[in-house]
Amino acid sequence: MNPRGSESYQGSKNKVTSGDYKISPGNNESCQGRSRFRTLTRSSRLKDGSKTVMQLARPVFLIGFMGAGKTSVARRLARMCGISSVDMDTYIERQQEKSISEIFAESGEVGFRKIETEALREIATMSTSMLVSCGGGVVTQPRNLDILKSSGVVVHLMINADQAAERISNTSTRPLFQDLEAARQLCAERMPVYEDAADYTILTAGRGVGSIAYELKRYLVDEGVLK
Ligand code: S3P
């Protein structure tokens, strides 16, 4: 399985290890011996040394174009608050035992989108509400929009294709980000869909993961979703 590319400010998307919190493979939905989720047990310590663990009342879906930082922000907020997070692409790769690029090569985008919808359904109906970093194309399927809107809170991390290109160090793992002009067009087509789906939008240009994660936390606390 090819490792996925990483944004300039994040580690590998597939890394399962975590500095501050425990991965609990025995804790639901483990796959091939590895947990697909990052969970923090109630006894674990948070980064700031406190033991406070917050909870999500509903799933929170991060959407936005490739390179927006969805995975990094989800991981940072999960660690800050002691909540569980799951990255949809990683979930799919572990479930299918193939990289996203391999799935695109073997089954095309249509095949990938079917798998993606199934993964979204599974994640949206899990008993523990999680912070979910979605693939950038999740909004292209109306059936996915129904799932997102009906089961959780949707937050758009907004970025344009040029800013994304600066952040993505390795586009080879993103089959739909091979050419900047095509990516600009795709991003422009999707932008109104992201905005329509979103309950809240965070502008990410020029900002670090921590700043975005704090804004997201403030929004979720204000809305009573994160307690
Ligand atoms: C895609 C985005 C990717 C991945 C796949 C398709 C898209 O996820 O799901 O390559 O259509 O925008 P990221 O947004 O995490 O890169």
Side-chain angles (χ1 to χ4, degrees), residues 24-37:
S24 310
N27 186 8
N28 70 28
E29 292 91 10
S30 72
C31 172
Q32 286 96 44
R34 288 188 295 174
S35 171
R36 281 179 268 157
F37 314 109

Side-chain angles (χ1 to χ4, degrees), residues 161 180-190:
L180 183 54
E181 198 41 58
R184 282 186 186 130
Q185 202 177 323
L186 192 62
C187 189
E189 282 166 20
R190 286 181 183 174

Side-chain angles (χ1 to χ4, degrees), residues 114-151:
K114 282 186 190 151
I115 294 169
E116 184 177 49
T117 297
E118 266 326 294
L120 180 62
R121 273 208 189 97
E122 288 171 21
I123 291 168
T125 53
M126 276 167 188
S127 51
T128 305
S129 292
M130 284 190 276
L131 193 48
V132 187
S133 43
C134 299
V138 76
V139 298
T140 61
Q141 308 302 308
R143 60 183 185 253
N144 294 348
L145 293 171
D146 290 342
I147 298 170
L148 292 174
K149 288 179 180 179
S150 64
S151 51

Side-chain angles (χ1 to χ4, degrees), residues 11 14 19 30-31 56 74 89 101 123 157 167 176 200 216 222:
N14 274 341
S30 72
C31 172
L56 283 177
D89 285 347
S101 299
I123 291 168
L157 301 193
R167 282 186 182 174
L176 298 182
Y200 184 68
L216 177 58
D222 286 353

Side-chain angles (χ1 to χ4, degrees), residues 51-204:
K51 282 193 171 183
T52 315
V53 175
M54 302 179 85
Q55 274 179 341
L56 283 177
R58 308 176 68 195
V60 174
F61 300 102
L62 300 187
I63 61 168
F65 202 60
M66 292 168 268
K70 294 160 290 185
T71 307
S72 308
V73 170
R75 288 173 63 175
R76 180 71 64 91
L77 187 60
R79 195 160 58 190
M80 275 160 59
C81 303
I83 54 179
S84 300
S85 70
V86 57
D87 177 75
M88 272 187 57
D89 285 347
T90 306
Y91 181 93
I92 290 168
E93 288 181 327
R94 302 232 172 106
Q95 189 181 56
Q96 301 294 315
E97 297 185 287
K98 285 174 193 160
S99 70
I100 299 298
S101 299
E102 285 166 345
I103 298 170
F104 266 78
E106 287 171 21
S107 314
E109 184 174 353
V110 173
F112 172 75
R113 296 295 171 208
K114 282 186 190 151
I115 294 169
E116 184 177 49
T117 297
E118 266 326 294
L120 180 62
R121 273 208 189 97
E122 288 171 21
I123 291 168
T125 53
M126 276 167 188
S127 51
T128 305
S129 292
M130 284 190 276
L131 193 48
V132 187
S133 43
C134 299
V138 76
V139 298
T140 61
Q141 308 302 308
R143 60 183 185 253
N144 294 348
L145 293 171
D146 290 342
I147 298 170
L148 292 174
K149 288 179 180 179
S150 64
S151 51
V153 177
V154 183
V155 177
H156 178 200
L157 301 193
M158 189 187 273
I159 193 167
N160 67 36
D162 291 84
Q163 293 155 351
E166 281 171 23
R167 282 186 182 174
I168 299 172
S169 56
N170 176 11
T171 54
S172 70
T173 56
R174 286 176 166 97
L176 298 182
F177 206 127
Q178 297 304 302
D179 164 63
L180 183 54
E181 198 41 58
R184 282 186 186 130
Q185 202 177 323
L186 192 62
C187 189
E189 282 166 20
R190 286 181 183 174
M191 201 51 78
V193 192
Y194 288 134
E195 279 299 271
D196 189 54
D199 296 298
Y200 184 68
T201 296
I202 299 178
L203 304 178
T204 70

